[in-house]
């Protein structure tokens, strides 16, 4: 089966105006101003199979939104090729639009001043959807996204979480096969995020929709994406399941140990009982944090080695994508 999304050697540069230091921004003439080239994306190659749900991860300015714009035909690549459902997004944009959905969480594609439902009616005509088809899909989305309470409300009066549910319905009305979501949970509270995550899992499972998703909430990606692509300064630096990424970037689980106050356990007593590659750190609350390699030692094995010490309580902090993110982008990897 051909890939749903394929990017090969994808690159995009921007020419940006730079005002020379000391020069007034509004000064005319070439000497005060100059152009600089920004490499927003360099030599990015990946393929996404139909039905996959992939997280696209990177810090601010890494090139995530630029990639989505290239994949949806909003921007033209400076180099490389892109195929989405075997179509060229720039040259075959209209054909592609009928089969994809794009959501930029920062912007709205709904009509601001009219009730939400009216935007859906307008989209029905834009996508030339049959009456029955539209009725069925809208009914489904109303139920899955619980839209009924605010269908008649003008979009400008919706809360952020309500608007995002409306936006998702709008991009799914025409039953796209591929969905691009750029920060779909931005500003949404924990309950709303959880509902959106479950919704995305549901449409992925039921309809086999291929989803490429960016988010600064790594919990979004960790909980729903079986695969992540890591982007750094416009280059792809990692591709695999979230757990593999955390391992690859050397992020390990941490066992936090609490000893009884009168036990007087010295750090070196713990040290002596553990393999040399475990690291120990005393925490401000008196607990001891043991970082260990899960491949070499399971938490029960670790605890049994310390069984003769007066352990009062313990807590396991799993290696998370958030830790890997901090390590990679915070300069620790
Ligand atoms: N239209 C543009 N003109 C000039 N530079 C741009 C343009 N769009 C993006 N850039 C630059 O390209 C780089 C990548 O931007 P992009 O918006 O793709 O990042 P991002 O990964 O989506 O970041 P964020 O997490 O902040 O949304 C940045 O350096 C940005 O300033
Ligand atoms: Mg962005």
């Amino acid at each position: 089966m051909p890939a749903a999304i394929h990017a090969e050697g994808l690159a995009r540069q921007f020419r940006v105006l730079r005002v020379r230091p000391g020069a007034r921004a509004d000064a005319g003439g070439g000497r005060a101003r100059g152009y600089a080239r920004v490499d927003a994306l360099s030599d990015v190659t990946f393929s996404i199979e139909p039905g996959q749900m992939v997280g696209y991860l990177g810090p601010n300015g890494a090139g995530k939104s630029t990639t989505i714009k290239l994949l949806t035909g909003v921007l033209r690549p400076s180099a490389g090729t892109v195929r989405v459902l075997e179509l060229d997004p720039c040259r075959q944009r209209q054909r592609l639009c009928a089969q994809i959905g794009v959501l930029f969480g920062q912007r709205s594609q709904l009509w601001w001043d009219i009730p939400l439902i009216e935007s859906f009616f307008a989209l029905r005509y834009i996508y030339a959807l049959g009456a029955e088809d539209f009725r069925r899909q809208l009914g489904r989305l109303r139920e899955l996204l619980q839209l009924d309470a605010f269908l008649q409300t003008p979009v400008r009066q919706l809360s952020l979480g309500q608007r995002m549910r409306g936006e998702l319905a709008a991009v799914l009305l025409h039953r796209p096969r591929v969905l691009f979501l750029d920060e779909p949970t931005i500003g949404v509270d924990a309950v709303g995020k959880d509902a959106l995550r479950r919704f995305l899992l549901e449409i992925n499972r039921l309809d086999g929709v291929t989803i490429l998703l960016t988010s600064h909430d790594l919990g979004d990606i960790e909980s729903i994406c079986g695969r992540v692509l890591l982007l750094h300064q416009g280059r792809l630096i990692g591709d695999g399941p979230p757990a593999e990424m955390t391992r690859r970037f050397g992020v390990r689980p941490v066992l936090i140990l609490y000893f009884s106050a009168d036990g007087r356990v010295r750090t070196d007593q713990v040290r002596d009982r553990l393999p040399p590659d475990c690291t120990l750190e005393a925490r401000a609350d008196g607990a001891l944090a043991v970082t260990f390699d899960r491949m070499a030692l399971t938490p029960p094995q670790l605890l049994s080695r310390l069984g003769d010490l007066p352990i009062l309580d313990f807590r396991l902090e799993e290696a998370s994508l958030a830790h890997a993110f901090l390590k990679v982008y915070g300069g620790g990897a």
Side-chain angles (χ1 to χ4, degrees), residues 14 16 38 40 58-66 183 216:
F14 292 108
V16 290
V38 175
N60 294 133
K64 304 178 296 294
S65 298
T66 301
E183 302 188 42
H216 286 292

